[in-house]
Amino acid sequence: MFRTSRRRIGTRAALLTVPLALVGVLGATAPAQAAPLHHTKPTSLTCQGKGIDRSAKVHYRTEIFVKAPLRTIWNLQTDVEAWPSWQNPAIPVTMKRLDDGPLRKHSRFQWTIPVPPGMPYPPGDVTIVSTVRQLQPGKCIRWTGPLDGPGGMHIDGVHVWNFVKVPGGVLVRTEESHTGPQVDKDVPGSTAMLGQGLEIWLKDLKKAAENRGQ
């Protein structure tokens, strides 16, 4: 029963989060720990001067140290269609690039996930179309992506990633904001689910990069 409960939590979180948190939550096997609290609020992450939606009630920032070369981490993070292969989602997720070539500014990619049985939404697919707004190779990525699903489900997300070389590896930082009626109805719960997704995403990225090594 405990395992089923955890899976239900992860699935619900998946349907209430946008792009980068999505696959991480789907791959959850246990609740992620919250990021450590800071005594002072850190400055929001940016990519080429642009950050999250600062007016959003739901937002979350976290980071992790990855003992792997920057190129390995960057290649994993920018190979969009391969994300599900190293994140092992609990339910099917289809990733599709909507353009060719390396991920770059204006690149677009689509996420498709079926609504699992027993969810408080009509049957059908949740679709997210993400657009890269800013990208600096090896340093940062920022994209936006609306989530649309059955029953009028709609969430707007903005996601920023920073990659900082440090002794022995790379510090990967990420921050995301969500706006929309589904998340604004329960800001603490929505923030917790967003945080869970991002923490799991980072752990999966760390594991994949460190296993790949050089």
Side-chain angles (χ1 to χ4, degrees), residues 172-191:
V172 181
R173 294 172 171 151
T174 187
E175 187 171 25
E176 186 168 4
S177 63
H178 290 176
T179 56
Q182 282 84 10
V183 294
D184 288 342
K185 286 180 182 178
D186 179 12
V187 171
S190 297
T191 300

Side-chain angles (χ1 to χ4, degrees), residues 118-132:
M119 296 299 296
Y121 301 102
D125 289 338
V126 170
T127 301
I128 306 166
V129 177
S130 298
T131 302
V132 177

Side-chain angles (χ1 to χ4, degrees), residues 44-64:
S44 290
L45 300 179
T46 61
C47 185
Q48 298 182 320
K50 301 292 185 179
I52 62 168
D53 182 347
R54 297 179 186 275
S55 68
K57 297 178 182 179
V58 176
H59 53 84
Y60 190 88
R61 172 178 169 169
T62 188
E63 62 187 43
I64 199 168

